[in-house]
Amino acid sequence: MHNHRALRGLACALSLLLACTDKGGDTTEETGTEGTQTTDAATTDAQTTETQPTDAQTTDVETGAPVAGCECADGDPCSVELCETASLVEDEDTGGQDETQLELALTCALEALRDRKVGHIGWHVRSGAGQIDEHGHFEMFGDGTARSTRGGVADLCEWIVDDVTVVTLKDPSVFAGCLTEPAIEKRFSCLRQAELDYQSTCVEGETDCSGV
């Protein structure tokens, strides 16, 4: 009888020991599994961080570089005024043309074009009692290119947004020849039509021809 009780007690003790051992194994296994999952997540995050493009790279790909030649902020060398605006006025009601001012302004502007100077030169033409009232200017970069701006009124059309483009200027020898032209109108045309070729658009001009 005592032996049976002893055996039962020993069996119970062994059962409890095995149960505790199994439970401890489950805990260790679960902990180990969680640790493995945590490590894998960290590895995944690290890989994602390494392959994720930077903001700068995304910006470069999506927007690209700014158009060359369109940048000419106030204070930049290209914005410095080199000459007075050359104004050709053919309206009697405005008092006529100031020949002296136009001569000086044209000579200054054509010399700047000839010498490939860096800076700003401008022109303005008015005729037909305001039917033609156009203006423009060149912001020159010294390398034969410039930012050209044009606007104003031409017949029944009006520029409500000035057209701004990057242009290649004519050869310096062309402007050297213009300086020898006796007719002031021809010298003015040399300035007004100084561009040789179009390169790119900075601001697309907009006109209103509702009067047509």
Side-chain angles (χ1 to χ4, degrees), residues 159-210:
W159 290 89
I160 55 178
V161 176
D162 284 359
D163 189 62
V164 185
T165 58
V166 180
V167 299
T168 302
L169 298 170
K170 293 176 181 177
D171 191 81
S173 61
V174 172
F175 303 113
C178 288
L179 284 164
T180 65
E181 282 287 349
I184 198 169
E185 291 80 10
K186 288 187 177 181
R187 277 178 280 151
F188 185 85
S189 293
C190 285
L191 169 59
R192 187 181 179 188
Q193 301 170 7
E195 62 266 32
L196 173 66
D197 197 11
Y198 158 88
Q199 288 192 7
S200 55
T201 298
C202 302
V203 178
E204 187 172 355
E206 184 178 349
T207 58
D208 178 10
C209 298
S210 58

Side-chain angles (χ1 to χ4, degrees), residues 98-118:
D98 185 344
E99 296 285 346
T100 302
Q101 188 276 337
L102 180 56
E103 288 279 1
L104 292 173
L106 275 177
T107 299
C108 177
L110 291 173
E111 288 177 346
L113 287 163
R114 179 197 63 190
D115 299 339
R116 290 285 194 254
K117 289 185 177 180
V118 178

Side-chain angles (χ1 to χ4, degrees), residues 27 30 38-39 47 51 62 82 90 112 124 130 139 141 147 171 174 179 204:
T27 303
E30 289 173 5
T38 303
T39 303
Q47 291 174 346
T51 57
E62 292 181 353
L82 300 176
E90 299 175 332
H124 171 240
E139 289 155 323
F141 301 107
R147 189 171 76 164
D171 191 81
V174 172
L179 284 164
E204 187 172 355

Side-chain angles (χ1 to χ4, degrees), residues 1-184:
M1 185 75 177
H2 291 292
N3 289 337
H4 286 299
R5 287 179 178 176
L7 288 172
R8 285 179 181 175
L10 180 60
C12 288
L14 288 172
S15 297
L16 288 172
L17 179 61
L18 289 171
C20 292
T21 303
D22 290 341
K23 185 176 181 181
D26 291 341
T27 303
T28 302
E29 185 176 351
E30 289 173 5
T31 303
T33 302
E34 291 175 358
T36 302
Q37 291 175 347
T38 303
T39 303
D40 291 342
T43 303
T44 303
D45 290 343
Q47 291 174 346
T48 302
T49 301
E50 290 174 359
T51 57
Q52 184 72 24
T54 63
D55 291 341
Q57 291 172 334
T58 303
T59 301
D60 289 340
V61 171
E62 292 181 353
T63 64
V67 178
C70 285
E71 309 85 5
C72 187
D74 290 343
D76 288 349
C78 55
S79 70
V80 176
E81 187 172 340
L82 300 176
C83 313
E84 293 288 335
T85 298
S87 295
L88 179 63
V89 180
E90 299 175 332
D91 281 342
E92 294 181 358
D93 59 348
T94 60
Q97 177 68 56
D98 185 344
E99 296 285 346
T100 302
Q101 188 276 337
L102 180 56
E103 288 279 1
L104 292 173
L106 275 177
T107 299
C108 177
L110 291 173
E111 288 177 346
L113 287 163
R114 179 197 63 190
D115 299 339
R116 290 285 194 254
K117 289 185 177 180
V118 178
H120 174 287
I121 56 174
W123 57 267
H124 171 240
V125 58
R126 178 182 171 87
S127 64
Q131 187 174 2
I132 302 295
D133 193 351
E134 293 182 284
H135 62 264
H137 59 259
F138 297 100
E139 289 155 323
M140 303 181 295
F141 301 107
D143 60 355
T145 65
R147 189 171 76 164
S148 172
T149 301
R150 288 174 179 265
V153 177
D155 292 328
L156 298 176
C157 292
E158 178 182 4
W159 290 89
I160 55 178
V161 176
D162 284 359
D163 189 62
V164 185
T165 58
V166 180
V167 299
T168 302
L169 298 170
K170 293 176 181 177
D171 191 81
S173 61
V174 172
F175 303 113
C178 288
L179 284 164
T180 65
E181 282 287 349
I184 198 169

